[in-house]
Amino acid sequence: MLARVRATVGRAATVAGAVVLTGGLGNDAVTLPGTLAALAAAGVGLAGSSKVLRAPASVRWTAISIYAAPHAGCAALLVGERLAPDGPVSFFVQAAAVALWTGATWLLRPGLTAREFTDEALAQALAEAEKVEEAPVEPVAPTYDSPQARWWGERFAIEGGVAPGTVLLQHQQVSEQCLALVIGAQKRGQPVPDISKPGLSAELDLPEDLIDIGPVPGRGAGVRLLVLGQRPVAEAGVGPGDSDAEVWAEIAASAMPGVELIEANTYEVHKELT
């Protein structure tokens, strides 16, 4: 129903424009009111065509230009009629221009064309938006500061691994058969998820009693200390407690301070840990 009303109004405006242009051929008094009427009709028409005014930004001004083209053409012809020289040739040229404007406006229906152009642009924008939403998001490949961090991230911190959601912050080779690791949570402010000691034991083929997971003295739950493998044996003439304290002093120098070694055992660590 609305489309039919718009079509009727458009046809009536075309006829009115043709009448005004024809009157301007022989009467200069029509120029000013006719031009103002054409411009006013363009403004009123655009105000009532919210679809054109709300077109996507990329095509909005193009749609407005298509809609206003016949009104601007009518105004231009009226001014041209006022400025054109008198004479039969000039009169026929002006009359041909009026006929051309009338026929083109009647057949092309710029108002309808502008709305259809807007509809196509909007449909295309929506289709492109849906494609973007449906496009699979490529996961961002993690970066690692060291080969050891990559080893931990790709083997243990993966989804379904024994320590998902963790990262290797620091490591120290205490001896050829003992490795100390400082593990942190991937998200700042979150505690380190529980790391399965049986899972590590199975993954590394390492006895559980040679795997220690505990807090880092002086730090919160966002970091954990993991010790793998054989701890150094006390030297001759030095008590076990003294030797252990010296070993952990070395670990504290680069890992975290204040950790104490509880026991020492012998076990051959796997190559991948060194």
Side-chain angles (χ1 to χ4, degrees):
M1 181 64 180
L2 183 59
R4 186 175 300 175
V5 172
R6 289 182 183 276
T8 302
V9 171
R11 296 300 193 192
T14 301
V15 173
V19 171
V20 171
L21 288 172
T22 302
L25 290 174
N27 188 356
D28 291 344
V30 178
T31 302
L32 181 59
T35 301
L36 294 177
L39 297 179
V44 172
L46 284 172
S49 300
S50 57
K51 180 182 293 186
V52 175
L53 295 178
R54 296 177 182 176
S58 59
V59 299
R60 183 177 302 155
W61 287 108
T62 302
I64 292 175
S65 299
I66 293 173
Y67 188 95
H71 306 82
C74 180
L77 286 176
L78 285 170
V79 174
E81 290 173 349
R82 178 68 179 270
L83 300 178
D86 295 332
V89 175
S90 177
F91 178 83
F92 283 116
V93 171
Q94 295 174 51
V98 171
L100 179 62
W101 179 92
T102 303
T105 305
W106 186 273
L107 294 175
L108 298 179
R109 302 180 64 184
L112 177 61
T113 302
R115 286 189 291 273
E116 290 177 346
F117 178 76
T118 300
D119 289 338
E120 292 177 1
L122 182 59
Q124 184 176 359
L126 292 175
E128 291 177 355
E130 290 178 357
K131 289 181 180 179
V132 171
E133 291 179 358
E134 294 175 357
V137 179
E138 294 293 335
V140 179
T143 57
Y144 302 100
D145 297 332
S146 66
Q148 291 82 0
R150 177 181 295 276
W151 166 76
W152 179 267
E154 295 181 350
R155 182 164 180 179
F156 301 98
I158 59 176
E159 184 177 355
V162 297
T166 63
V167 292
L168 177 62
L169 299 178
Q170 198 168 0
H171 69 281
Q172 182 183 359
Q173 191 73 47
V174 180
S175 68
E176 292 184 0
Q177 293 140 346
C178 181
L179 183 65
L181 309 174
V182 178
I183 307 302
Q186 284 183 350
K187 294 183 179 179
R188 184 177 180 82
Q190 296 292 325
V192 175
D194 291 336
I195 299 176
S196 171
K197 184 183 289 189
L200 281 174
S201 175
E203 182 71 25
L204 296 172
D205 193 19
L206 187 68
E208 289 187 51
D209 57 358
L210 294 182
I211 300 175
D212 285 334
I213 305 174
V216 176
R219 295 293 301 274
V223 291
R224 282 289 182 267
L225 183 63
L226 172 62
V227 181
L228 305 173
Q230 172 191 346
R231 293 157 181 80
V233 180
E235 297 178 0
V238 181
D242 296 335
S243 176
D244 293 347
E246 292 177 1
V247 171
W248 283 109
E250 293 181 10
I251 295 178
S254 62
M256 289 291 167
V259 183
E260 297 180 356
L261 180 63
I262 305 301
E263 61 178 347
N265 295 292
T266 301
Y267 187 82
E268 182 178 355
V269 72
H270 286 251
K271 281 184 177 182
E272 57 204 23
L273 301 182
T274 61

PDB file of all heavy atoms in Angstrom, residues 37-56:
ATOM      1  N   ALA A  37      10.320  25.418  -5.345  1.00  0.00           N
ATOM      2  CA  ALA A  37       9.403  24.290  -5.199  1.00  0.00           C
ATOM      3  C   ALA A  37      10.114  22.956  -5.446  1.00  0.00           C
ATOM      4  O   ALA A  37       9.879  21.967  -4.749  1.00  0.00           O
ATOM      5  CB  ALA A  37       8.224  24.458  -6.154  1.00  0.00           C
ATOM      6  N   ALA A  38      10.987  22.930  -6.451  1.00  0.00           N
ATOM      7  CA  ALA A  38      11.724  21.705  -6.752  1.00  0.00           C
ATOM      8  C   ALA A  38      12.631  21.313  -5.589  1.00  0.00           C
ATOM      9  O   ALA A  38      12.700  20.145  -5.183  1.00  0.00           O
ATOM     10  CB  ALA A  38      12.543  21.885  -8.024  1.00  0.00           C
ATOM     11  N   LEU A  39      13.332  22.321  -5.035  1.00  0.00           N
ATOM     12  CA  LEU A  39      14.217  22.035  -3.908  1.00  0.00           C
ATOM     13  C   LEU A  39      13.431  21.626  -2.671  1.00  0.00           C
ATOM     14  O   LEU A  39      13.839  20.722  -1.922  1.00  0.00           O
ATOM     15  CB  LEU A  39      15.076  23.271  -3.607  1.00  0.00           C
ATOM     16  CG  LEU A  39      16.027  23.698  -4.733  1.00  0.00           C
ATOM     17  CD1 LEU A  39      16.796  24.956  -4.330  1.00  0.00           C
ATOM     18  CD2 LEU A  39      16.998  22.558  -5.067  1.00  0.00           C
ATOM     19  N   ALA A  40      12.292  22.271  -2.446  1.00  0.00           N
ATOM     20  CA  ALA A  40      11.460  21.901  -1.300  1.00  0.00           C
ATOM     21  C   ALA A  40      10.915  20.487  -1.456  1.00  0.00           C
ATOM     22  O   ALA A  40      10.854  19.714  -0.486  1.00  0.00           O
ATOM     23  CB  ALA A  40      10.316  22.904  -1.151  1.00  0.00           C
ATOM     24  N   ALA A  41      10.523  20.130  -2.677  1.00  0.00           N
ATOM     25  CA  ALA A  41      10.018  18.774  -2.920  1.00  0.00           C
ATOM     26  C   ALA A  41      11.092  17.727  -2.644  1.00  0.00           C
ATOM     27  O   ALA A  41      10.822  16.662  -2.096  1.00  0.00           O
ATOM     28  CB  ALA A  41       9.524  18.664  -4.362  1.00  0.00           C
ATOM     29  N   ALA A  42      12.344  18.070  -3.016  1.00  0.00           N
ATOM     30  CA  ALA A  42      13.439  17.138  -2.734  1.00  0.00           C
ATOM     31  C   ALA A  42      13.632  16.957  -1.231  1.00  0.00           C
ATOM     32  O   ALA A  42      13.799  15.834  -0.733  1.00  0.00           O
ATOM     33  CB  ALA A  42      14.729  17.652  -3.376  1.00  0.00           C
ATOM     34  N   GLY A  43      13.583  18.066  -0.488  1.00  0.00           N
ATOM     35  CA  GLY A  43      13.761  17.972   0.957  1.00  0.00           C
ATOM     36  C   GLY A  43      12.656  17.195   1.628  1.00  0.00           C
ATOM     37  O   GLY A  43      12.901  16.341   2.487  1.00  0.00           O
ATOM     38  N   VAL A  44      11.392  17.480   1.234  1.00  0.00           N
ATOM     39  CA  VAL A  44      10.258  16.762   1.819  1.00  0.00           C
ATOM     40  C   VAL A  44      10.308  15.283   1.464  1.00  0.00           C
ATOM     41  O   VAL A  44      10.045  14.409   2.296  1.00  0.00           O
ATOM     42  CB  VAL A  44       8.931  17.399   1.343  1.00  0.00           C
ATOM     43  CG1 VAL A  44       7.740  16.553   1.788  1.00  0.00           C
ATOM     44  CG2 VAL A  44       8.797  18.814   1.886  1.00  0.00           C
ATOM     45  N   GLY A  45      10.656  14.997   0.213  1.00  0.00           N
ATOM     46  CA  GLY A  45      10.731  13.594  -0.191  1.00  0.00           C
ATOM     47  C   GLY A  45      11.795  12.815   0.567  1.00  0.00           C
ATOM     48  O   GLY A  45      11.570  11.684   1.009  1.00  0.00           O
ATOM     49  N   LEU A  46      12.966  13.425   0.739  1.00  0.00           N
ATOM     50  CA  LEU A  46      14.034  12.755   1.498  1.00  0.00           C
ATOM     51  C   LEU A  46      13.649  12.592   2.960  1.00  0.00           C
ATOM     52  O   LEU A  46      13.961  11.561   3.581  1.00  0.00           O
ATOM     53  CB  LEU A  46      15.336  13.550   1.379  1.00  0.00           C
ATOM     54  CG  LEU A  46      16.078  13.418   0.051  1.00  0.00           C
ATOM     55  CD1 LEU A  46      17.242  14.396  -0.004  1.00  0.00           C
ATOM     56  CD2 LEU A  46      16.588  11.983  -0.123  1.00  0.00           C
ATOM     57  N   ALA A  47      12.990  13.593   3.524  1.00  0.00           N
ATOM     58  CA  ALA A  47      12.568  13.494   4.924  1.00  0.00           C
ATOM     59  C   ALA A  47      11.600  12.332   5.122  1.00  0.00           C
ATOM     60  O   ALA A  47      11.571  11.703   6.181  1.00  0.00           O
ATOM     61  CB  ALA A  47      11.923  14.807   5.364  1.00  0.00           C
ATOM     62  N   GLY A  48      10.798  12.044   4.096  1.00  0.00           N
ATOM     63  CA  GLY A  48       9.866  10.925   4.200  1.00  0.00           C
ATOM     64  C   GLY A  48      10.449   9.610   3.752  1.00  0.00           C
ATOM     65  O   GLY A  48       9.752   8.580   3.793  1.00  0.00           O
ATOM     66  N   SER A  49      11.700   9.604   3.293  1.00  0.00           N
ATOM     67  CA  SER A  49      12.348   8.362   2.843  1.00  0.00           C
ATOM     68  C   SER A  49      13.460   8.000   3.829  1.00  0.00           C
ATOM     69  O   SER A  49      14.645   8.167   3.545  1.00  0.00           O
ATOM     70  CB  SER A  49      12.910   8.528   1.425  1.00  0.00           C
ATOM     71  OG  SER A  49      11.885   8.838   0.511  1.00  0.00           O
ATOM     72  N   SER A  50      13.041   7.553   4.997  1.00  0.00           N
ATOM     73  CA  SER A  50      14.023   7.225   6.040  1.00  0.00           C
ATOM     74  C   SER A  50      14.966   6.111   5.592  1.00  0.00           C
ATOM     75  O   SER A  50      16.122   6.055   6.031  1.00  0.00           O
ATOM     76  CB  SER A  50      13.308   6.796   7.324  1.00  0.00           C
ATOM     77  OG  SER A  50      12.450   5.692   7.080  1.00  0.00           O
ATOM     78  N   LYS A  51      14.484   5.247   4.715  1.00  0.00           N
ATOM     79  CA  LYS A  51      15.327   4.146   4.245  1.00  0.00           C
ATOM     80  C   LYS A  51      16.550   4.686   3.508  1.00  0.00           C
ATOM     81  O   LYS A  51      17.676   4.193   3.689  1.00  0.00           O
ATOM     82  CB  LYS A  51      14.532   3.220   3.326  1.00  0.00           C
ATOM     83  CG  LYS A  51      15.338   2.046   2.796  1.00  0.00           C
ATOM     84  CD  LYS A  51      14.500   1.203   1.854  1.00  0.00           C
ATOM     85  CE  LYS A  51      13.377   0.517   2.601  1.00  0.00           C
ATOM     86  NZ  LYS A  51      12.625  -0.419   1.727  1.00  0.00           N
ATOM     87  N   VAL A  52      16.355   5.734   2.701  1.00  0.00           N
ATOM     88  CA  VAL A  52      17.467   6.317   1.959  1.00  0.00           C
ATOM     89  C   VAL A  52      18.418   7.036   2.907  1.00  0.00           C
ATOM     90  O   VAL A  52      19.646   6.919   2.807  1.00  0.00           O
ATOM     91  CB  VAL A  52      16.945   7.288   0.884  1.00  0.00           C
ATOM     92  CG1 VAL A  52      18.106   8.002   0.193  1.00  0.00           C
ATOM     93  CG2 VAL A  52      16.108   6.529  -0.141  1.00  0.00           C
ATOM     94  N   LEU A  53      17.867   7.765   3.864  1.00  0.00           N
ATOM     95  CA  LEU A  53      18.705   8.522   4.802  1.00  0.00           C
ATOM     96  C   LEU A  53      19.489   7.602   5.737  1.00  0.00           C
ATOM     97  O   LEU A  53      20.544   7.988   6.244  1.00  0.00           O
ATOM     98  CB  LEU A  53      17.832   9.479   5.627  1.00  0.00           C
ATOM     99  CG  LEU A  53      17.142  10.600   4.833  1.00  0.00           C
ATOM    100  CD1 LEU A  53      16.271  11.428   5.760  1.00  0.00           C
ATOM    101  CD2 LEU A  53      18.171  11.486   4.144  1.00  0.00           C
ATOM    102  N   ARG A  54      18.973   6.404   5.971  1.00  0.00           N
ATOM    103  CA  ARG A  54      19.636   5.460   6.878  1.00  0.00           C
ATOM    104  C   ARG A  54      20.391   4.365   6.127  1.00  0.00           C
ATOM    105  O   ARG A  54      20.713   3.320   6.700  1.00  0.00           O
ATOM    106  CB  ARG A  54      18.611   4.819   7.806  1.00  0.00           C
ATOM    107  CG  ARG A  54      17.942   5.820   8.735  1.00  0.00           C
ATOM    108  CD  ARG A  54      16.878   5.147   9.582  1.00  0.00           C
ATOM    109  NE  ARG A  54      16.196   6.113  10.443  1.00  0.00           N
ATOM    110  CZ  ARG A  54      15.168   5.814  11.241  1.00  0.00           C
ATOM    111  NH1 ARG A  54      14.715   4.565  11.268  1.00  0.00           N
ATOM    112  NH2 ARG A  54      14.608   6.742  11.985  1.00  0.00           N
ATOM    113  N   ALA A  55      20.658   4.620   4.872  1.00  0.00           N
ATOM    114  CA  ALA A  55      21.409   3.640   4.077  1.00  0.00           C
ATOM    115  C   ALA A  55      22.815   3.471   4.652  1.00  0.00           C
ATOM    116  O   ALA A  55      23.301   4.336   5.390  1.00  0.00           O
ATOM    117  CB  ALA A  55      21.488   4.100   2.629  1.00  0.00           C
ATOM    118  N   PRO A  56      23.478   2.337   4.370  1.00  0.00           N
ATOM    119  CA  PRO A  56      24.870   2.176   4.824  1.00  0.00           C
ATOM    120  C   PRO A  56      25.716   3.368   4.401  1.00  0.00           C
ATOM    121  O   PRO A  56      25.525   3.942   3.320  1.00  0.00           O
ATOM    122  CB  PRO A  56      25.312   0.879   4.131  1.00  0.00           C
ATOM    123  CG  PRO A  56      24.048   0.113   3.933  1.00  0.00           C
ATOM    124  CD  PRO A  56      22.989   1.142   3.666  1.00  0.00           C
TER     125      PRO A  56
END
